[in-house]
């Protein structure tokens, strides 16, 4: 079994960012450093930089998430960025979508322990819940896949005129350029690179914002969504 590494000192910025739920943020960091490592959800080398690289890096995503919307965190893993976002934004209704059982078990434990009543954990892949999960205003993702593949999973989960916010690295512009054809087929009407967390994290967090039009996922996914919804309604009647 992998030994849990020691947590670093909590940076001053964390208390201001997490506000009233700062104690819950500290508890989440402790869980990541302990159970998160021993269960193989994060590597022990990540523990010394948990606050800057993970919790704060994800929490500042809240700067570009509209108020009171529904959010689906695709491939949530250990809860990044979904859990930090939930800690700073109790106005959001967040679904943590993750296919692996050991990860969903961890996420459910975290949600219950921290009392995050506005967060739901769903086990499954994006393509599996299409048509059964209510379309959301915002899809979030971090380190899941290249943009073209990620959009293929996340964009169809959106409501018309919704947006996907993907945490990316320095090659964000290149990813957008390489994915333009795929994004267009998915009904994407706008893309931009945003930098958030000025004065909180250094370097700032890079976010690719992808906005869809009236048909998220394009024609093919509209038909697939409709078929899945019909199957779901038939099952409920039985």
């Amino acid at each position: 079994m992998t030994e849990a590494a020691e947590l670093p000192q909590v940076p001053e910025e964390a208390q201001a960012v997490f506000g009233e739920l700062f104690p819950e943020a500290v508890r989440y960091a402790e869980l990541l450093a302990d159970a998160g490592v021993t269960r193989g959800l994060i590597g022990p080398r990540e523990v010394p930089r948990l606050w800057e690289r993970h919790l704060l890096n994800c929490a500042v995503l809240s700067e570009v998430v509209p108020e009171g919307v529904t959010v689906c965190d695709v491939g949530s893993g250990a809860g990044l960025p979904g859990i930090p976002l939930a800690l700073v934004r109790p106005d959001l209704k967040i679904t943590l979508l993750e296919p692996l059982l050991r990860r969903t078990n961890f996420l459910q434990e975290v949600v219950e322990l921290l009392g995050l009543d506005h967060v739901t954990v769903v086990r499954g892949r994006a393509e599996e819940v299409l048509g059964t999960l209510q379309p959301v205003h915002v899809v979030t993702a971090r380190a899941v896949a290249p943009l073209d593949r990620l959009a293929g999973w996340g964009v169809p989960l959106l409501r018309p005129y919704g947006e996907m916010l993907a945490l990316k690295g320095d090659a964000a512009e290149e990813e957008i350029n390489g994915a333009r054809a795929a994004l267009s087929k998915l009904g994407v009407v706008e893309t931009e690179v945003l930098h958030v967390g000025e004065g909180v994290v250094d370097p700032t967090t890079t976010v690719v914002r992808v906005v869809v039009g009236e048909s998220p996922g394009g024609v093919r996914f509209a038909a697939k969504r409709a078929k899945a919804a019909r199957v779901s309604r038939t099952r409920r009647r039985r």
Side-chain angles (χ1 to χ4, degrees):
M1 183 179 289
T2 307
E3 290 187 7
E6 186 176 347
L7 262 174
Q9 184 175 353
V10 181
E12 293 180 8
E13 296 86 355
Q15 189 141 15
V17 169
F18 290 102
E20 291 183 1
L21 291 186
F22 172 68
E24 283 78 3
V26 172
R27 184 69 184 113
Y28 177 50
E30 293 170 348
L31 289 166
L32 286 174
D34 187 355
V37 172
T38 58
R39 296 188 195 182
L41 303 181
I42 65 166
R45 292 182 180 178
E46 295 303 310
V47 175
R49 50 186 185 176
L50 261 182
W51 283 102
E52 287 87 352
R53 182 177 172 84
H54 298 289
L55 273 75
L56 288 172
N57 183 268
C58 290
V60 295
L61 181 63
S62 64
E63 295 177 16
V64 290
V65 178
E67 289 187 17
V69 298
T70 53
V71 177
C72 182
D73 188 32
V74 172
S76 196
L80 302 164
I83 296 292
L85 184 61
L87 287 169
V88 297
R89 293 290 299 276
D91 60 299
L92 304 174
K93 186 176 181 181
I94 299 177
T95 298
L96 306 179
L97 182 62
E98 169 56 47
L100 295 185
L101 180 60
R102 64 187 171 89
R103 292 176 180 171
T104 53
N105 285 342
F106 174 77
L107 292 173
Q108 192 60 52
E109 290 167 18
V110 170
V111 167
E112 292 174 4
L113 190 63
L114 302 186
L116 300 175
D117 297 335
H118 58 305
V119 178
T120 303
V121 178
V122 174
R123 185 184 176 199
R125 299 182 185 279
E127 57 269 34
E128 295 169 345
V129 301
L130 189 65
T132 58
L133 190 71
Q134 276 294 110
V136 296
H137 298 92
V138 176
V139 163
T140 59
R142 180 182 192 238
V144 174
L147 186 60
D148 54 351
R149 268 196 289 149
L150 175 60
W153 299 330
V155 166
L157 299 177
L158 291 168
R159 293 170 49 141
Y161 309 106
E163 58 190 79
M164 184 177 74
L165 300 171
L167 277 68
K168 289 289 183 179
D170 295 337
E173 291 280 6
E174 292 176 27
E175 280 205 54
I176 289 176
N177 290 333
R180 287 199 188 279
L183 294 176
S184 179
K185 289 180 182 178
L186 290 167
V188 171
V189 296
E190 180 186 344
T191 58
E192 64 178 324
V193 176
L194 307 171
H195 297 279
V196 296
E198 184 71 42
V200 177
V201 288
D202 185 19
T204 54
T205 300
T206 301
V207 180
V208 172
R209 179 173 177 258
V210 172
V211 182
V212 298
E214 61 182 17
S215 185
V219 176
R220 182 165 65 91
F221 281 99
K224 191 173 180 180
R225 236 188 334 261
K227 181 180 178 181
R230 285 196 302 272
V231 171
S232 179
R233 285 195 298 270
T234 301
R235 286 175 179 167
R236 286 198 297 268
R237 291 194 196 105
R238 291 174 181 171

